[in-house]
Amino acid sequence: PQIKTRTGIIGIERSLQEKQKATDESISMAFQDLKKLMEMAKDMVSISKTISAKIRERQGDITEDETVRFKSYLMSLGIDDPVTRDAYKNSNEYFKQLAKQLANILEEPIKVNIPYSHYYTYNTLQYLVNSILQEVGGMMTLTDVYCRVNRARGLELLSPEDLLNASRQLALLGLPIVLRVFDSGVMVLQIRSHDDNTIVDVIADLIKEKGSLTAEELAQSEGISVLLARERLLVTEKRGKACRDDTIEALRFYPNLFLEKDD
Amino acid sequence: MAEIEWPWQYSFPPFFTLQPHTDTRAKQLSAWKSLILEYYRVTKQAIVDIREVDSCPLFNNTAINRKLPSEVVLLVLEELAKSGNANPLDKSRQRWLVYWHTLEEW
């Protein structure tokens, strides 16, 4: 048998080589396993496709429970097949539960500040829920929510699609927060009782007070994100309470003198 | 050249940005229309060349450092044409004739 030299450069080189060989082996093993796994998954995909074809044939003959279960199978496989599934069930049970949890998570930031008591009346609870998002202005962009939720979770993170789908369920479930999509495509979660009119009035007054405002200035004075400040100004403009001055320097918003001044 | 009395809009910066809000824009355009007519009547001119609007104090307010973009000038002129107060002089719609009074009024 070969004698292993442990000393000298040859010894070091040899031990390095051996290590490399070992890692090589484990890597190729891992890939072989992956391949097998993928083959299994392929079978699952083809099975689920035939099932969805069957569902289509029978047109609502199947109980709701069955479609729900089927959907969660698809979810766990990572196959998104909404075109064929949407007709049978508006969304997955998983998203509904997630939506409920979202509502809970977003309530927490204030709950921490208020001493817990069993004696909260329904009204105070409602008030608490509403002040959740009020802490951040009654509104949070979906990206911020994504950060907040995932940072709180640590493990078993949410995918962006999961969050979006869960958010779509919020309104249907009657939870205190709802998803809102602005004209610009920016998506936010806002408290259900959020009223654009009051915001618009506040912003309009603020613009009048300052003479004119940019989104950055509003963001700073109100302590909200620039993105949301911009959306607020745009909503105010849409209601005819502001008008814009678009220059190289910035997009400024002025009181809408065109409509307010009568000539 | 006689001096024109500028309306309040002329020193209002948003006047020089086309407003996206429908009602606001209608007000803005009608203000522009009457301002253009007034200006051309007072200065006794009749021809607008869109390529030269930058040098014209009507469309370029140096005091507040704002000028009306040429697309918007074209839009206002088209509005004027609808009410019979303007007519394009060439196919490319770069030169326009402005009537202080519409032809019917004469």
Side-chain angles (χ1 to χ4, degrees):
Chain A
Q2 205 182 356
I3 304 159
K4 279 189 183 173
T5 41
R6 292 195 189 171
T7 50
I9 294 176
I10 294 182
I12 297 173
E13 274 183 347
R14 192 169 289 156
S15 71
L16 278 178
Q17 232 167 22
E18 265 163 25
K19 253 186 210 161
Q20 223 167 29
K21 219 172 163 185
T23 45
D24 258 9
E25 258 167 34
S26 62
I27 285 175
S28 63
M29 277 259 281
F31 276 115
Q32 267 174 5
D33 285 358
L34 268 183
K35 241 183 220 163
K36 271 179 201 156
L37 263 178
M38 267 148 76
E39 265 160 33
M40 302 275 247
K42 243 184 229 162
D43 287 345
M44 291 296 284
V45 171
S46 62
I47 290 173
S48 66
K49 282 218 172 114
T50 48
I51 296 180
S52 80
K54 265 184 195 156
I55 293 182
R56 213 172 320 162
E57 271 169 33
R58 288 171 64 179
Q59 285 289 354
D61 240 14
I62 300 166
T63 57
E64 291 231 316
D65 201 38
E66 274 174 337
T67 38
V68 168
R69 233 171 40 210
F70 178 57
K71 269 204 162 183
S72 49
Y73 286 144
L74 286 187
M75 285 287 311
S76 64
L77 275 177
I79 317 163
D80 209 10
D81 191 17
V83 195
T84 48
R85 280 185 302 151
D86 272 0
Y88 307 104
K89 194 81 182 63
N90 63 346
S91 208
N92 196 287
E93 196 60 28
Y94 166 60
F95 292 138
K96 279 189 187 158
Q97 293 305 325
L98 202 57
K100 281 179 194 156
Q101 207 191 5
L102 265 183
N104 278 331
I105 288 173
L106 292 174
E107 283 168 29
E108 250 150 53
I110 42 130
K111 272 195 180 158
V112 177
N113 299 333
I114 293 152
Y116 182 75
S117 156
H118 287 290
Y119 303 110
Y120 285 142
T121 63
Y122 179 76
N123 280 338
T124 34
L125 272 178
Q126 198 64 29
Y127 167 78
L128 287 185
V129 171
N130 285 347
S131 44
I132 309 157
L133 285 166
Q134 250 151 34
E135 168 203 27
V136 285
M139 216 183 257
M140 211 190 252
T141 57
L142 216 51
T143 41
D144 282 347
V145 174
Y146 182 73
C147 290
R148 214 154 173 162
V149 170
N150 271 341
R151 197 179 292 165
R153 282 196 158 200
L155 281 171
E156 293 277 332
L157 299 182
L158 290 184
S159 74
E161 285 91 0
D162 284 353
L163 179 65
L164 181 59
N165 285 324
S167 303
R168 292 217 170 99
Q169 295 295 310
L170 287 169
L172 301 175
L173 292 172
L175 291 168
I177 50 181
V178 286
L179 176 73
R180 170 174 183 188
V181 184
F182 282 108
D183 293 342
S184 59
V186 171
M187 290 192 254
V188 299
L189 290 188
Q190 66 177 21
I191 44 179
R192 188 177 279 274
S193 59
H194 182 87
D195 187 10
D196 268 356
N197 289 325
T198 47
I199 292 279
V200 165
D201 288 344
V202 169
I203 302 284
D205 286 346
L206 210 63
I207 295 176
K208 251 174 224 159
E209 193 185 303
K210 302 253 163 123
S212 69
L213 266 182
T214 65
E216 288 77 15
E217 286 166 7
L218 178 64
Q220 269 184 1
S221 71
E222 293 289 281
I224 54 176
S225 71
V226 176
L227 199 69
L228 287 182
R230 195 183 148 80
E231 293 301 339
R232 283 188 184 186
L233 287 168
L234 290 177
V235 168
T236 313
E237 184 190 42
K238 215 172 141 193
R239 299 287 175 97
K241 293 276 180 71
C243 57
R244 62 173 62 193
D245 168 33
D246 198 356
T247 58
I248 314 165
E249 297 147 38
L251 178 61
R252 300 197 79 84
F253 286 85
Y254 283 76
N256 195 344
L257 297 183
F258 292 113
L259 293 184
E260 281 164 22
K261 263 198 190 180
D262 285 318
D263 44 342
Chain B
M1 246 202 266
E3 265 304 306
I4 178 173
E5 198 181 304
W6 297 108
W8 65 267
Q9 287 101 331
Y10 186 66
S11 47
F12 184 51
F15 194 43
F16 294 85
T17 300
L18 187 67
Q19 299 298 322
H21 186 255
T22 331
D23 295 350
T24 316
R25 188 195 308 210
K27 282 269 185 189
Q28 185 193 19
L29 289 182
S30 77
W32 265 113
K33 275 165 73 179
S34 52
L35 175 59
I36 288 176
L37 290 181
E38 174 72 8
Y39 181 81
Y40 277 81
R41 197 177 57 77
V42 172
T43 57
K44 297 196 176 20
Q45 298 178 65
I47 291 174
V48 185
D49 191 322
I50 291 183
R51 285 160 296 191
E52 286 166 14
V53 292
D54 278 4
S55 56
C56 174
L58 171 60
F59 299 110
N60 189 355
N61 187 347
T62 47
I64 57 167
N65 202 12
R66 295 284 189 282
K67 62 184 175 214
L68 196 66
S70 46
E71 314 89 75
V72 187
V73 176
L74 184 65
L75 194 75
V76 178
L77 287 170
E78 276 165 356
E79 285 290 314
L80 276 173
K82 269 186 213 158
S83 57
N85 286 100
N87 247 336
L89 281 175
D90 55 356
K91 280 251 167 67
S92 59
R93 300 184 152 239
Q94 292 294 311
R95 284 160 63 78
W96 291 71
L97 207 54
V98 173
Y99 310 122
W100 311 330
H101 299 286
T102 59
L103 293 180
E104 287 86 53
E105 277 171 29
W106 286 107

